Amino acid sequence: MKTQKVVTLTQFISEQQELNPAATGNLTRIFQDIILAAKIVNRDVRKAGLVDILGTHGTTNIQGEEVKKLDVMANEEFIAALSLGGDCCAIISEENEEIIRVPNSNRASSKYIVAMDPLDGSSNIDVNASIGTIFSIFSRISPVSTDVTLEDCLQKGRNQIAAGYIIYGSSTMLVYTTGQGVNGFTLDSSIGEFCLSHPNITIPKNGSIYSINEGNSIEFSDALNTYISYCKESDKASNRPYSARYIGSFIADFHRNLLKGGIFIYPATLSSPNGKLRLMYECNPLAFIVEQAGGKANNGTTNIMDIIPKQLHQRVPLFIGSENMVNKAEEICSAKPL
Ligand code: AHM
Ligand code: MG
């Protein structure tokens, strides 16, 4: 019987590091922190359906401990793992208004800043749909011996050193890039390891899925509604009409479109002119991944990773996915802007 070689995420990262003579190993260590937190959050997410049995948020469970909401728990797990590791000096989290400055992060290796959405799509927990963690890693600009500044944290997406996400779906996967392609690892819970399952992920240049909350179309620009009508037209050559697929959990919608080809849009609307999704820890990391996979992400006109952030929790409109689909949406939308 032929046995297949299993490559774990830890092995894969170490091998990648050995190929890079300039690597110091610090990034590898920060990944270890993220992997540990991901496994803990995965364990908690898998117990989500038992919340009613074990206690709900604000109550105590059968062990007499206070039960926290899953997104609060995930935030605490990631902050704890990143703070203990010693290579991260600051964290930007969707759950925290301010920069989290990691105490005692004055080691020479403590140069990384991590921006994260610890549990995206958390409104889907109650209905057992996929949710995810998104992360983006970049280096501070100021010297390590000084306090981390706002300028260190407000860097454009082009400066990302690594980015990734964990999807807690029918299986749990970690997908990441360090700028040398995109690889996906599935958690084998029997051995507690993420194993390489999706090497060198590429997104098809053309897809046949469009993902947008069309219920808001009364608030969309005329140009965007023209693009949506385009998606529904019949044209065999371009695979139209496209299929509409929208779960309302960004990672789940993104992951499907990454593997199958498609476009995800969270646009500007009349009541939310900057859209809903956050630049630093939702749009930038997935823009890095999609670009590394051969796709594209913009805000309708500008590449997401070229946007200079002005605020930690800044929102931006987002068009992301298969390159030709994003180009077409841009072409139609730029003809008739909002
Ligand atoms: P969250 O960070 O509060 O979970 O919100 C982000 C989520 C995304 O996962 C998803 O794409 C979007 O909100 C769905 O929004 P809407 O319900 O407006 O379509
Ligand atoms: Mg979110």
Side-chain angles (χ1 to χ4, degrees):
M1 196 177 79
K2 228 173 141 189
T3 51
Q4 228 183 330
K5 187 176 177 259
V6 174
V7 179
T8 69
L9 177 52
T10 316
Q11 284 166 344
F12 188 85
I13 293 171
S14 318
E15 279 165 25
Q16 296 282 101
Q17 191 201 323
E18 279 163 23
L19 295 176
N20 177 4
T24 56
N26 301 350
L27 191 64
T28 305
R29 289 208 301 266
I30 217 161
F31 263 96
Q32 306 292 7
D33 302 338
I34 290 171
I35 292 168
L36 173 64
K39 288 180 188 170
I40 295 172
V41 172
N42 176 65
R43 183 198 62 196
D44 296 338
V45 166
R46 299 291 165 212
K47 284 199 297 204
L50 297 170
V51 156
D52 285 343
I53 302 167
L54 302 177
T56 52
H57 178 54
T59 67
T60 50
N61 64 16
I62 47 172
Q63 280 94 38
E65 302 153 337
E66 196 206 335
V67 179
K68 292 178 183 160
K69 275 174 72 182
L70 263 183
D71 42 7
V72 176
M73 269 162 71
N75 192 41
E76 290 177 1
E77 299 298 358
F78 274 93
I79 293 172
L82 290 166
S83 303
L84 286 173
D87 298 289
C88 174
C89 57
I91 302 163
I92 303 159
S93 168
E94 184 181 293
E95 297 286 329
N96 297 73
E97 202 51 42
E98 306 292 335
I99 301 166
I100 302 159
R101 292 183 164 79
V102 176
N104 307 320
S105 61
N106 49 5
R107 288 170 30 178
S109 62
S110 305
K111 61 177 179 193
Y112 294 114
I113 296 172
V114 177
M116 63 168 185
D117 183 349
L119 211 55
D120 182 67
S122 48
S123 62
N124 279 297
I125 294 168
D126 292 346
V127 294
N128 213 350
S130 302
I131 46 180
T133 298
I134 316 173
F135 61 90
S136 159
I137 306 176
F138 45 100
S139 259
R140 61 183 294 176
I141 306 163
S142 60
V144 279
S145 51
T146 58
D147 284 343
V148 176
T149 63
L150 186 60
E151 194 197 355
D152 286 327
C153 295
L154 292 181
Q155 295 187 49
K156 60 182 178 186
R158 285 272 163 235
N159 292 359
Q160 290 173 104
I161 292 169
Y165 62 86
I166 300 122
I167 177 166
Y168 311 97
S170 43
S171 61
T172 296
M173 267 188 82
L174 189 151
V175 177
Y176 85 98
T177 185
T178 52
Q180 288 158 318
V182 180
N183 291 284
F185 300 79
T186 301
L187 181 63
D188 180 340
S189 47
S190 66
I191 56 169
E193 294 279 2
F194 284 98
C195 301
L196 182 61
S197 53
H198 295 64
N200 290 319
I201 296 173
T202 54
I203 182 168
K205 292 283 173 203
N206 295 294
S208 56
I209 293 173
Y210 74 107
S211 308
I212 185 168
N213 187 344
E214 224 177 317
N216 293 332
S217 61
I218 199 161
E219 294 225 7
F220 295 166
S221 66
D222 291 345
L224 181 57
N225 280 322
T226 303
Y227 175 70
I228 293 172
S229 301
Y230 166 88
C231 294
K232 297 175 186 172
E233 281 166 15
S234 179
D235 176 50
K236 268 208 172 119
S238 57
N239 256 328
R240 286 178 294 148
Y242 299 149
S243 292
R245 294 283 184 273
Y246 188 80
I247 299 176
S249 177
F250 184 26
I251 282 299
D253 281 313
F254 176 83
H255 184 70
R256 180 202 52 241
N257 291 2
L258 179 70
L259 298 184
K260 293 191 162 182
I263 184 169
F264 174 96
I265 304 173
Y266 206 109
T269 61
L270 284 174
S271 51
S272 304
N274 296 318
K276 177 178 185 186
L277 301 178
R278 318 289 184 133
L279 175 60
M280 298 298 294
Y281 41 78
E282 291 178 323
C283 301
N284 268 340
L286 298 194
F288 192 15
I289 287 177
V290 88
E291 206 171 285
Q292 282 294 314
K296 193 170 174 180
N298 67 24
N299 66 357
T301 52
T302 307
N303 191 302
I304 290 293
M305 290 196 286
D306 292 328
I307 298 172
I308 314 262
K310 294 193 173 64
Q311 291 164 355
L312 293 177
H313 300 282
Q314 180 171 336
R315 298 174 197 270
V316 283
L318 179 67
F319 295 73
I320 189 167
S322 294
E323 186 178 16
N324 293 342
M325 297 178 88
V326 174
N327 285 342
K328 188 70 189 176
E330 186 177 356
E331 179 196 314
I332 293 179
C333 291
S334 58
K336 287 196 241 166
L338 184 69

